[in-house]
Amino acid sequence: AYSGMSSPSAFAAVTVAVPAKVSVAVQDYSLSYGGGDYPCVAARRGDGAWDCSLDARKPSSDGERWTFLFALNGTLFTGSDDMKMDLRSNFTGEKLELKFRNLKGGEFSSTKKAPDSGAL
């Protein structure tokens, strides 16, 4: 069960380079913040259309960039420009701390702008 989902008025996006041998799906990851876990609700290959299906997809090339979209409880993010959240594998429980920038209603960056390493 995911917490705080009665009013998901905020979204977070994580762009990753996926090895060609790895399948990806929206149910693979969640974000943890403030004691709550928030689901990945859609994914997209490059700057393509968002896909909310649960079907696993394989990248067409090594290092292909995928963006995962997470629904968050927007009441937790008032006024903060930057925040840290944990990207969690729903299979292994492994966590990676990521820094997020509050776009305050702006658009997500293109995957083409994502650096080869580090965070966007």
Side-chain angles (χ1 to χ4, degrees):
Y2 292 104
S3 56
M5 289 311 298
S6 60
S7 60
S9 58
F11 294 90
V14 176
T15 299
V16 297
V18 180
K21 297 177 183 176
V22 176
S23 293
V24 293
V26 295
Q27 69 268 28
D28 291 350
Y29 299 101
S30 59
L31 283 179
S32 298
Y33 179 80
D37 289 327
Y38 300 94
C40 178
V41 295
R44 70 179 178 184
R45 183 186 317 244
D47 289 327
W50 291 105
D51 180 359
C52 9
S53 72
L54 298 179
D55 298 337
R57 304 275 194 261
K58 283 199 179 264
S60 57
S61 63
D62 198 39
E64 182 175 71
R65 292 177 185 202
W66 283 72
T67 301
F68 298 95
L69 184 68
F70 299 87
L72 308 171
N73 179 346
T75 62
L76 296 175
F77 309 103
T78 56
S80 177
D81 288 331
D82 294 323
M83 59 215 73
K84 292 181 180 176
M85 292 184 249
D86 290 327
L87 178 65
R88 182 174 64 85
S89 166
N90 291 332
F91 298 107
T92 67
E94 201 173 345
K95 292 183 180 184
L96 174 65
E97 184 179 84
L98 300 174
K99 183 178 177 182
F100 288 82
R101 182 181 46 187
N102 187 342
L103 299 177
K104 299 177 180 150
E107 293 184 19
F108 292 123
S109 300
S110 165
T111 57
K112 296 172 188 163
K113 291 184 178 181
D116 290 333
S117 64
L120 176 64

